[in-house]
C-alpha cells in the first residue's frame, strides 16, 4: 500500500510531463518513482516518446523492462567517478 498516494500521483505526473524526447533519464527506486515510470511508459506508448533510462538497481531495470521503457545497456559501462 502506498501512503499519500494521491499526492505521489500528482508528483509522478509532473515528473513524467517533464521528460522530453531523446533524453537519458536516471531512475531511482521508491513508490513515487514507480508511479512516474508508469506515466512515462504511457507516454512512450501514446506519444511515441523515445528515451533511455539508467536504472539504479536490477529491480528498477526489470521494472523498466516490464513497462517497455528502454534501458541504457549495462555491458561495458564504467561508473567509477574518480
Amino acid at each position: 500500500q502506498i501512503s499519500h498516494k494521491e499526492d505521489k500521483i500528482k508528483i509522478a505526473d509532473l515528473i513524467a510531463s517533464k521528460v522530453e524526447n531523446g533524453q537519458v533519464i536516471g531512475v531511482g527506486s521508491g513508490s513515487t518513482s514507480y508511479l512516474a515510470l508508469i506515466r512515462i511508459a504511457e507516454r512512450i506508448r501514446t506519444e511515441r516518446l523515445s528515451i533511455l533510462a539508467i536504472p539504479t538497481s536490477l529491480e528498477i531495470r526489470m521494472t523498466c523492462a516490464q513497462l517497455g521503457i528502454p534501458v541504457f545497456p549495462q555491458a561495458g559501462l564504467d561508473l567509477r567517478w574518480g
Side-chain angles (χ1 to χ4, degrees):
Q1 184 105 40
I2 298 174
S3 60
H4 307 287
K5 188 173 181 178
E6 286 144 15
D7 292 334
K8 290 182 179 191
I9 288 171
K10 288 177 188 175
I11 293 167
D13 287 342
L14 179 63
I15 292 167
S17 73
K18 293 184 178 292
V19 176
E20 296 179 9
N21 204 43
Q23 283 187 324
V24 177
I25 62 170
V27 182
S29 58
S31 57
T32 306
S33 292
Y34 177 73
L35 293 169
L37 284 176
I38 291 171
R39 299 293 197 223
I40 291 166
E42 289 172 5
R43 289 193 59 208
I44 288 171
R45 284 191 304 277
T46 60
E47 300 173 30
R48 300 199 188 278
L49 185 67
S50 176
I51 63 159
L52 271 180
I54 300 178
T56 58
S57 68
L58 179 58
E59 178 184 37
I60 298 303
R61 179 176 286 277
M62 291 170 39
T63 300
C64 287
Q66 289 173 337
L67 293 172
I69 299 172
V71 295
F72 196 83
Q74 189 172 333
L77 190 60
D78 183 1
L79 296 178
R80 290 176 289 170
W81 299 99

